[in-house]
Amino acid sequence: MSALTRNRTTLAVLAGMGFLLASASHAAVDAAKAAQLGKNLTPTGAEKAGNGGAIPAWTGGVNKPIPGFKVGMFHPDPFATDKIAFTITPANYKQYAASLSVGQIAMFEKYKTFKMNVYPTRRSAAFPQRTYDFTFKNATTCTLVANGEGVKNCAEGLPFPIPQNGFEVIWNHKLKYKGVSFSRFANQAAPSANGNFTLYSIREDGLGLYYKPGNTTSNINDILLYFKQEVLSPARLAGQVLLVHESLNSVQTPRKAWVYNPGQRRVRLAPNVAYDNPGTATDGLRTNDMTDMFNGAMDRFNWKLVGKREMYVPYNSYKAHSGNIKVKDLIRPNHLNPDLLRYELHRVWVVDATLKPGARHINSRRTFYVDEDSWQILTTDGYDLQGKLWRYSEAPSISYYEVPTFWSTIETHHDLKSGRYISGLLDNEAKPYNFGFVSSPSDFTPQNLRNEGVR
């Protein structure tokens, strides 16, 4: 069976379930379905078997550090000896169109220098055994509440490993294990048409109470994540701090946010840090809800689970992650340096989010492509209010095998109208993610922002 036929068949079967999925109750699956986890399904709900071709079977992923790795290092590539299988270019992309998104096709049509080096597929995603154990329990207990805006009866693991609708797929992305506490440099660059850029140095700290052993959705006061972002440079923005308390139920407990302005030495509530308001120092190229490919409330969109596809997606992006390269090696006019990126064929869940009548957002529609093994959103297509394709986003990701977790190492958002893009998480000249970072809720209070004000 060809890739095109296989994709159409998969989508047709699942699309045919569309009415059932849309009208399904927000109930957990029964024990018989949950029993598939760890058998014909992986512990996180992916198909364990390969596709009889380029996609191999999942055999556990990269679930421990490779020889020579020490905590604090940038992660050496477990697949460094892999060779490029083939390259997709503007000259031949139509041969592979069945496994490309609309946004990817637009990139080939707009930029003569854009290409995808496709490598052998490595199903490297892995999580701790505790995550697998709690994911199995959640499958029969976790449910959606507040019309999909919240979850309950969940603990630690993925909430919906066998998803029945689009809300559940996105909640899997939002709740996938990322370590209990982390600190990272989210440095970002938005180059001009000739590739010139200013690097904004940004530090971000996070504490996910949901992942702390012993916690459940009922005993953490609806707090999914404490998040703090401080701009370190350039000087005109240095000292600006954003604090967010992210909710597990945006209806019952809406997101709270505060900003510290070093010039005024004041902490103020920031109700606009949500939805389509611009992110910090982004030149309007990324909205707040595009961080981590998607975050926050879902109430302005209708979420449809379209089905599953085989697609070429950024994966095992260790070259781009490396501390041996400079940011200037990555940044190029129009897009990142394609020779430092890696693409593989993987199965992804497709979720289509369409703006509700009367709701406000700069996007009328967004299509999310979610990795079946890790529940990481790997690529997104975004449409303007006239229904025309506007943005293409992707998240080159790796297995942080000392945790283990599979997460983005870069996020890039392309504005296909202006020809500009912005890349974040550019830590190559700083330090890699620190999953040993120790923090507590007291580190994420408005009063703490006042105490830490530096100018």
Side-chain angles (χ1 to χ4, degrees):
M1 182 182 294
S2 69
L4 177 59
T5 303
R6 187 162 53 238
N7 278 330
R8 284 176 173 169
T9 300
T10 304
L11 284 170
V13 170
L14 286 165
M17 297 168 61
F19 174 77
L20 295 175
L21 293 169
S23 62
S25 67
H26 298 326
V29 301
D30 60 30
K33 288 185 178 178
Q36 300 175 54
L37 296 170
K39 295 180 181 177
N40 61 309
L41 299 179
T42 72
T44 57
E47 298 172 50
K48 183 178 286 187
N51 68 347
I55 300 176
W58 183 83
T59 57
V62 182
N63 56 14
K64 60 183 178 181
I66 68 172
F69 172 78
K70 295 181 179 179
V71 172
M73 294 172 56
F74 285 90
H75 299 68
D77 187 351
F79 314 113
T81 60
D82 284 355
K83 304 299 183 184
I84 298 172
F86 57 91
T87 300
I88 307 175
T89 70
N92 68 3
Y93 77 89
K94 291 182 180 179
Q95 300 176 33
Y96 305 97
S99 299
L100 298 172
S101 78
V102 174
Q104 289 170 331
I105 289 172
M107 290 290 289
F108 285 114
E109 293 178 344
K110 187 174 183 66
Y111 302 118
K112 294 180 180 180
T113 53
F114 184 69
K115 65 180 181 180
M116 291 183 180
N117 289 328
V118 179
Y119 289 78
T121 298
R122 304 288 191 175
R123 297 179 69 180
S124 57
F127 296 94
Q129 184 60 47
R130 187 176 180 91
T131 297
Y132 297 151
D133 293 343
F134 276 90
T135 295
F136 182 81
K137 295 177 182 178
N138 288 343
T140 56
T141 63
C142 192
T143 58
L144 294 171
V145 295
N147 294 318
E149 286 302 299
V151 292
K152 70 175 183 178
N153 300 327
C154 315
E156 299 188 44
L158 291 157
F160 307 108
I162 306 175
Q164 303 174 70
N165 53 61
F167 280 102
E168 294 183 350
V169 172
I170 300 302
W171 270 110
N172 284 342
H173 168 76
K174 295 206 291 184
L175 290 182
K176 76 184 185 73
Y177 184 72
K178 308 176 186 71
V180 175
S181 186
F182 69 86
S183 181
R184 68 185 183 185
F185 286 90
N187 304 341
Q188 63 187 27
S192 61
N194 62 9
N196 292 332
F197 66 92
T198 297
L199 185 66
Y200 289 79
S201 181
I202 299 171
R203 172 175 166 161
E204 296 178 341
D205 300 337
L207 172 63
L209 294 186
Y210 176 79
Y211 312 114
K212 188 175 182 180
N215 280 348
T216 70
T217 51
S218 63
N219 68 357
I220 54 177
N221 297 319
D222 272 335
I223 297 295
L224 164 59
L225 178 72
Y226 292 111
F227 175 82
K228 183 165 61 177
Q229 179 191 78
E230 179 181 1
V231 180
L232 305 178
S233 67
R236 62 184 175 84
L237 295 177
Q240 179 177 309
V241 185
L242 167 67
L243 173 68
V244 175
H245 291 183
E246 182 66 5
S247 174
L248 276 167
N249 185 329
S250 64
V251 171
Q252 181 172 306
T253 310
R255 169 187 283 176
K256 294 181 180 179
W258 300 261
V259 292
Y260 172 77
N261 185 305
Q264 299 175 344
R265 295 180 179 271
R266 295 185 62 182
V267 174
R268 292 184 174 181
L269 279 168
N272 292 329
V273 179
Y275 299 110
D276 56 353
N277 288 286
T280 303
T282 61
D283 284 357
L285 293 168
R286 176 179 59 77
T287 61
N288 281 298
D289 63 4
M290 289 165 68
T291 301
D292 198 22
M293 301 299 280
F294 180 81
N295 74 95
M298 295 187 275
D299 58 320
R300 296 186 181 181
F301 288 82
N302 292 312
W303 299 81
K304 179 182 178 181
L305 179 56
V306 178
K308 192 182 283 189
R309 285 184 62 184
E310 294 178 4
M311 286 183 58
Y312 295 110
V313 288
Y315 221 92
N316 292 314
S317 304
Y318 291 93
K319 285 185 179 180
H321 166 80
S322 174
N324 295 324
I325 64 171
K326 305 291 186 182
V327 172
K328 65 180 178 63
D329 299 325
L330 276 164
I331 301 296
R332 292 287 185 272
N334 304 322
H335 50 75
L336 293 182
N337 183 350
D339 290 325
L340 294 176
L341 298 177
R342 173 175 176 141
Y343 295 84
E344 300 177 3
L345 186 69
H346 284 263
R347 289 183 292 242
V348 297
W349 289 101
V350 182
V351 176
D352 216 25
T354 53
L355 190 63
K356 292 180 177 179
R360 185 190 65 79
H361 199 282
I362 61 173
N363 293 116
S364 65
R365 174 187 171 195
R366 286 185 286 185
T367 305
F368 299 92
Y369 303 92
V370 188
D371 177 34
E372 70 163 349
D373 286 332
S374 67
W375 299 101
Q376 172 66 41
I377 298 173
L378 294 173
T379 67
T380 305
D381 297 334
Y383 296 78
D384 65 17
L385 293 179
Q386 287 70 50
K388 296 180 179 180
L389 183 69
W390 180 12
R391 285 174 165 157
Y392 167 69
S393 303
E394 65 177 28
S397 301
I398 67 167
S399 177
Y400 294 88
Y401 35 66
E402 78 277 25
V403 181
T405 187
F406 189 88
W407 201 9
S408 53
T409 183
I410 299 176
E411 288 179 16
T412 301
H413 306 282
H414 294 268
D415 184 325
L416 293 164
K417 293 182 180 180
S418 70
R420 295 192 65 199
Y421 72 96
I422 187 168
S423 284
L425 308 181
L426 300 169
D427 59 6
N428 308 79
E429 297 174 63
K431 297 178 181 178
Y433 289 28
N434 176 9
F435 293 100
F437 177 69
V438 177
S439 63
S440 67
S442 64
D443 296 316
F444 300 89
T445 65
Q447 182 59 46
N448 185 262
L449 255 62
R450 295 186 183 95
N451 296 338
E452 288 187 356
V454 294
R455 71 175 192 180

Coordinates of all heavy atoms in Angstrom, one line a residue, residues 114-169:
F114 N 14.6 26.0 1.1 CA 14.1 25.2 2.1 C 14.2 23.7 1.7 O 13.9 23.4 0.5 CB 12.6 25.5 2.4 CG 12.0 24.7 3.5 CD1 12.4 24.9 4.8 CD2 11.0 23.8 3.2 CE1 11.8 24.2 5.9 CE2 10.4 23.0 4.3 CZ 10.8 23.2 5.6
K115 N 14.6 22.8 2.6 CA 14.6 21.4 2.3 C 14.5 20.6 3.6 O 14.6 21.2 4.7 CB 16.0 21.0 1.6 CG 17.2 21.2 2.5 CD 18.5 20.9 1.7 CE 19.7 21.0 2.6 NZ 21.0 20.6 1.9
M116 N 14.2 19.4 3.4 CA 14.1 18.4 4.6 C 15.0 17.3 4.3 O 14.8 16.5 3.4 CB 12.6 17.9 4.8 CG 11.6 18.9 5.2 SD 10.0 18.1 5.4 CE 9.0 19.5 6.0
N117 N 16.0 17.1 5.2 CA 16.8 15.9 5.2 C 16.2 14.9 6.0 O 16.0 15.0 7.2 CB 18.2 16.2 5.7 CG 19.1 17.1 4.8 OD1 19.0 17.0 3.6 ND2 19.9 17.9 5.4
V118 N 15.8 13.8 5.3 CA 15.0 12.7 5.9 C 15.9 11.6 6.3 O 16.7 11.1 5.5 CB 13.9 12.2 5.0 CG1 13.1 11.1 5.7 CG2 12.9 13.4 4.7
Y119 N 15.9 11.2 7.6 CA 16.7 10.2 8.1 C 15.9 9.0 8.5 O 14.6 9.0 8.5 CB 17.4 10.7 9.4 CG 18.5 11.7 9.2 CD1 18.2 13.1 9.0 CD2 19.8 11.4 9.3 CE1 19.2 14.0 8.8 CE2 20.8 12.3 9.1 CZ 20.5 13.6 8.9 OH 21.5 14.6 8.7
P120 N 16.5 7.8 8.8 CA 15.8 6.7 9.3 C 14.9 7.0 10.5 O 15.4 7.8 11.4 CB 16.9 5.7 9.7 CG 18.0 6.1 8.8 CD 18.0 7.6 8.7
T121 N 13.7 6.5 10.6 CA 12.9 6.8 11.7 C 13.3 6.0 13.0 O 13.5 4.8 13.0 CB 11.4 6.3 11.4 OG1 11.0 7.1 10.3 CG2 10.5 6.6 12.6
R122 N 13.5 6.8 14.0 CA 13.9 6.3 15.3 C 12.9 6.7 16.4 O 12.7 7.8 16.7 CB 15.3 6.9 15.7 CG 16.4 6.6 14.7 CD 16.8 5.2 14.7 NE 18.1 5.0 13.9 CZ 18.7 3.9 13.8 NH1 18.3 2.8 14.5 NH2 19.8 3.8 13.1
R123 N 12.2 5.7 16.9 CA 11.1 6.0 17.9 C 11.7 6.1 19.3 O 11.7 5.2 20.1 CB 10.0 4.9 17.8 CG 9.3 4.9 16.4 CD 8.3 3.8 16.3 NE 7.1 4.1 17.1 CZ 6.0 3.4 17.2 NH1 6.0 2.3 16.5 NH2 5.0 3.7 18.0
S124 N 12.4 7.2 19.5 CA 13.2 7.4 20.7 C 12.4 7.9 21.9 O 13.0 7.9 23.0 CB 14.3 8.4 20.4 OG 13.7 9.7 19.9
A125 N 11.2 8.3 21.8 CA 10.4 8.9 22.9 C 10.3 7.8 24.0 O 9.9 6.7 23.8 CB 9.1 9.3 22.4
A126 N 10.5 8.3 25.2 CA 10.4 7.5 26.4 C 10.1 8.4 27.6 O 10.4 9.6 27.7 CB 11.7 6.7 26.7
F127 N 9.4 7.8 28.6 CA 9.1 8.4 29.9 C 9.4 7.5 31.1 O 9.6 6.3 30.9 CB 7.6 8.8 29.9 CG 7.3 9.8 28.8 CD1 6.8 9.4 27.6 CD2 7.4 11.2 29.1 CE1 6.4 10.3 26.6 CE2 7.1 12.1 28.1 CZ 6.6 11.7 26.9
P128 N 9.4 8.0 32.3 CA 9.7 7.1 33.4 C 8.6 6.1 33.6 O 7.5 6.3 33.2 CB 9.7 8.1 34.6 CG 10.0 9.5 34.0 CD 9.3 9.4 32.7
Q129 N 9.0 5.0 34.2 CA 8.1 3.9 34.5 C 6.9 4.4 35.3 O 5.7 4.0 35.1 CB 8.7 2.7 35.2 CG 7.8 1.5 35.4 CD 7.3 0.9 34.1 OE1 8.1 0.7 33.2 NE2 6.0 0.6 34.1
R130 N 7.1 5.3 36.2 CA 6.0 5.9 37.1 C 5.0 6.6 36.2 O 3.8 6.4 36.4 CB 6.6 6.8 38.1 CG 5.6 7.3 39.1 CD 6.2 8.2 40.2 NE 5.2 8.6 41.1 CZ 4.9 8.0 42.3 NH1 5.5 6.9 42.6 NH2 3.9 8.4 43.1
T131 N 5.5 7.3 35.1 CA 4.5 7.9 34.2 C 3.7 6.8 33.5 O 2.5 7.0 33.3 CB 5.3 8.7 33.2 OG1 6.0 9.8 33.8 CG2 4.4 9.3 32.1
Y132 N 4.3 5.7 33.1 CA 3.6 4.7 32.4 C 2.5 4.1 33.4 O 1.4 3.8 33.0 CB 4.5 3.6 32.0 CG 5.5 4.0 30.9 CD1 6.8 3.4 30.8 CD2 5.2 5.0 30.0 CE1 7.7 3.7 29.8 CE2 6.1 5.4 29.0 CZ 7.4 4.8 29.0 OH 8.3 5.1 28.0
D133 N 2.9 3.9 34.6 CA 2.0 3.2 35.6 C 0.8 4.1 35.8 O -0.3 3.6 35.9 CB 2.7 3.0 36.9 CG 3.8 2.0 36.8 OD1 3.8 1.2 35.8 OD2 4.7 1.9 37.7
F134 N 1.0 5.4 36.0 CA -0.1 6.3 36.3 C -0.9 6.6 35.0 O -2.1 6.8 35.1 CB 0.4 7.6 36.9 CG 0.6 7.5 38.4 CD1 1.8 7.1 38.9 CD2 -0.5 7.7 39.2 CE1 2.0 7.0 40.3 CE2 -0.3 7.6 40.6 CZ 0.9 7.2 41.1
T135 N -0.3 6.5 33.8 CA -1.0 6.7 32.6 C -2.1 5.5 32.5 O -3.2 5.7 32.1 CB -0.1 6.7 31.4 OG1 0.7 7.8 31.4 CG2 -0.8 6.7 30.1
F136 N -1.6 4.3 32.8 CA -2.5 3.1 32.8 C -3.7 3.3 33.7 O -4.9 3.1 33.4 CB -1.7 1.9 33.2 CG -2.6 0.6 33.1 CD1 -2.8 0.0 31.9 CD2 -3.2 0.1 34.3 CE1 -3.5 -1.2 31.9 CE2 -3.9 -1.1 34.2 CZ -4.1 -1.7 33.0
K137 N -3.5 3.9 34.9 CA -4.6 4.1 35.9 C -5.5 5.2 35.3 O -6.7 5.1 35.5 CB -4.0 4.5 37.2 CG -3.2 3.4 37.9 CD -2.6 3.9 39.2 CE -1.7 2.9 39.9 NZ -1.1 3.3 41.2
N138 N -4.9 6.3 34.8 CA -5.7 7.4 34.3 C -6.6 7.0 33.2 O -7.7 7.6 33.1 CB -4.8 8.5 33.8 CG -4.0 9.3 34.9 OD1 -4.4 9.2 36.1 ND2 -3.0 10.0 34.5
A139 N -6.2 6.0 32.4 CA -7.1 5.7 31.2 C -8.5 5.3 31.6 O -9.4 5.6 30.8 CB -6.4 4.5 30.5
T140 N -8.7 4.8 32.8 CA -10.0 4.4 33.2 C -10.6 5.3 34.3 O -11.8 5.1 34.7 CB -10.0 3.0 33.8 OG1 -9.1 2.9 34.9 CG2 -9.6 1.9 32.8
T141 N -9.9 6.4 34.6 CA -10.5 7.3 35.7 C -10.5 8.7 35.2 O -11.4 9.5 35.7 CB -9.6 7.2 37.0 OG1 -8.3 7.7 36.7 CG2 -9.6 5.8 37.5
C142 N -9.6 9.2 34.4 CA -9.5 10.6 34.1 C -10.6 11.0 33.1 O -10.9 10.3 32.2 CB -8.2 10.9 33.5 SG -7.8 12.7 33.4
T143 N -11.3 12.1 33.4 CA -12.3 12.6 32.6 C -12.2 14.1 32.3 O -11.5 14.9 33.1 CB -13.7 12.4 33.2 OG1 -13.8 13.0 34.5 CG2 -14.0 10.9 33.3
L144 N -12.8 14.6 31.2 CA -12.9 16.0 31.0 C -14.0 16.7 31.7 O -15.0 16.0 32.0 CB -13.1 16.3 29.5 CG -12.0 15.9 28.5 CD1 -12.5 16.0 27.1 CD2 -10.8 16.7 28.7
V145 N -13.8 17.9 32.1 CA -14.9 18.7 32.8 C -14.9 20.0 32.1 O -14.1 20.4 31.4 CB -14.6 18.8 34.3 CG1 -14.7 17.4 35.0 CG2 -13.3 19.5 34.6
A146 N -16.0 20.8 32.5 CA -16.1 22.2 32.0 C -16.0 22.3 30.5 O -15.3 23.1 30.0 CB -15.1 23.1 32.7
N147 N -16.7 21.4 29.8 CA -16.7 21.4 28.3 C -15.4 21.3 27.7 O -15.0 21.9 26.7 CB -17.4 22.6 27.8 CG -18.9 22.7 28.2 OD1 -19.6 21.7 28.1 ND2 -19.4 23.9 28.6
G148 N -14.5 20.5 28.4 CA -13.2 20.2 27.9 C -12.1 21.2 28.4 O -10.9 21.0 28.2
E149 N -12.5 22.1 29.2 CA -11.5 23.1 29.7 C -10.8 22.7 31.0 O -9.9 23.4 31.5 CB -12.3 24.5 30.0 CG -12.6 25.2 28.8 CD -11.4 25.5 27.9 OE1 -10.5 26.2 28.4 OE2 -11.3 25.1 26.8
G150 N -11.2 21.5 31.5 CA -10.5 21.0 32.7 C -10.5 19.5 32.7 O -11.1 18.8 31.9
V151 N -9.7 18.9 33.6 CA -9.6 17.5 33.8 C -9.8 17.2 35.3 O -9.4 18.0 36.1 CB -8.3 16.9 33.2 CG1 -8.2 17.0 31.7 CG2 -7.1 17.6 33.9
K152 N -10.2 16.0 35.6 CA -10.3 15.5 36.9 C -10.0 14.0 37.0 O -10.0 13.3 36.0 CB -11.7 15.9 37.5 CG -12.8 15.0 37.0 CD -14.1 15.4 37.8 CE -15.3 14.5 37.3 NZ -16.5 14.8 38.1
N153 N -9.8 13.6 38.3 CA -9.5 12.2 38.6 C -8.3 11.7 37.8 O -8.3 10.5 37.3 CB -10.7 11.3 38.2 CG -12.0 11.7 39.0 OD1 -11.9 12.1 40.1 ND2 -13.1 11.6 38.4
C154 N -7.3 12.5 37.7 CA -6.0 12.2 37.1 C -4.9 12.4 38.0 O -5.0 13.2 39.0 CB -5.7 13.1 35.8 SG -7.1 13.3 34.7
A155 N -3.8 11.7 37.8 CA -2.6 11.8 38.6 C -1.3 11.5 37.8 O -1.2 10.5 37.2 CB -2.6 10.9 39.9
E156 N -0.4 12.5 37.7 CA 0.9 12.3 37.3 C 1.1 11.9 35.8 O 1.9 12.5 35.1 CB 1.7 11.3 38.2 CG 1.8 11.7 39.6 CD 2.7 10.8 40.4 OE1 3.8 10.5 39.9 OE2 2.3 10.5 41.6
G157 N 0.4 10.9 35.3 CA 0.6 10.4 34.0 C -0.2 11.1 33.0 O -0.9 12.1 33.2
L158 N -0.1 10.6 31.7 CA -1.0 11.2 30.6 C -2.4 10.9 31.0 O -2.8 9.8 31.4 CB -0.6 10.5 29.3 CG 0.8 10.9 28.8 CD1 1.3 9.8 27.8 CD2 0.7 12.2 28.1
P159 N -3.3 11.9 30.7 CA -4.7 11.7 31.1 C -5.5 10.8 30.2 O -6.4 10.0 30.7 CB -5.3 13.1 31.1 CG -4.4 13.8 30.2 CD -3.0 13.2 30.3
F160 N -5.2 10.8 28.9 CA -6.1 10.1 27.9 C -5.2 9.4 26.9 O -5.1 9.8 25.7 CB -7.0 11.1 27.2 CG -7.8 12.0 28.1 CD1 -7.5 13.3 28.3 CD2 -8.8 11.4 28.9 CE1 -8.2 14.1 29.2 CE2 -9.6 12.2 29.8 CZ -9.2 13.6 29.9
P161 N -4.6 8.3 27.3 CA -3.7 7.6 26.3 C -4.5 7.0 25.1 O -3.9 6.7 24.1 CB -3.1 6.5 27.2 CG -4.0 6.3 28.3 CD -4.6 7.6 28.6
I162 N -5.8 6.8 25.3 CA -6.6 6.3 24.2 C -7.6 7.4 23.9 O -8.8 7.3 24.4 CB -7.2 4.9 24.5 CG1 -6.2 3.9 25.0 CG2 -8.0 4.4 23.3 CD1 -6.7 2.6 25.4
P163 N -7.3 8.4 23.2 CA -8.1 9.6 23.1 C -9.4 9.3 22.3 O -9.4 8.6 21.3 CB -7.2 10.6 22.4 CG -6.3 9.8 21.6 CD -6.0 8.6 22.4
Q164 N -10.5 10.0 22.7 CA -11.7 9.9 22.0 C -12.2 11.2 21.3 O -13.1 11.2 20.5 CB -12.8 9.5 23.0 CG -12.5 8.2 23.8 CD -13.6 8.0 24.9 OE1 -14.7 7.7 24.6 NE2 -13.2 8.2 26.1
N165 N -11.4 12.3 21.5 CA -11.8 13.5 20.9 C -10.6 14.5 20.9 O -9.5 14.2 21.5 CB -13.0 14.2 21.6 CG -12.8 14.3 23.1 OD1 -11.8 15.0 23.5 ND2 -13.6 13.7 23.8
G166 N -10.7 15.6 20.2 CA -9.6 16.5 20.1 C -9.1 17.1 21.4 O -7.9 17.4 21.6
F167 N -10.1 17.4 22.3 CA -9.7 18.0 23.6 C -8.7 17.0 24.3 O -7.7 17.5 24.9 CB -10.9 18.1 24.5 CG -11.7 19.4 24.2 CD1 -12.9 19.3 23.5 CD2 -11.3 20.6 24.7 CE1 -13.6 20.4 23.2 CE2 -12.1 21.7 24.5 CZ -13.2 21.6 23.7
E168 N -9.0 15.7 24.3 CA -8.1 14.8 25.0 C -6.7 14.7 24.4 O -5.8 14.6 25.1 CB -8.8 13.4 25.0 CG -10.1 13.4 25.8 CD -10.8 12.0 25.8 OE1 -10.4 11.1 25.1 OE2 -11.7 11.9 26.6
V169 N -6.6 14.8 23.1 CA -5.3 14.8 22.5 C -4.5 16.0 23.0 O -3.3 15.9 23.3 CB -5.4 14.8 20.9 CG1 -4.0 15.0 20.3 CG2 -6.0 13.5 20.4

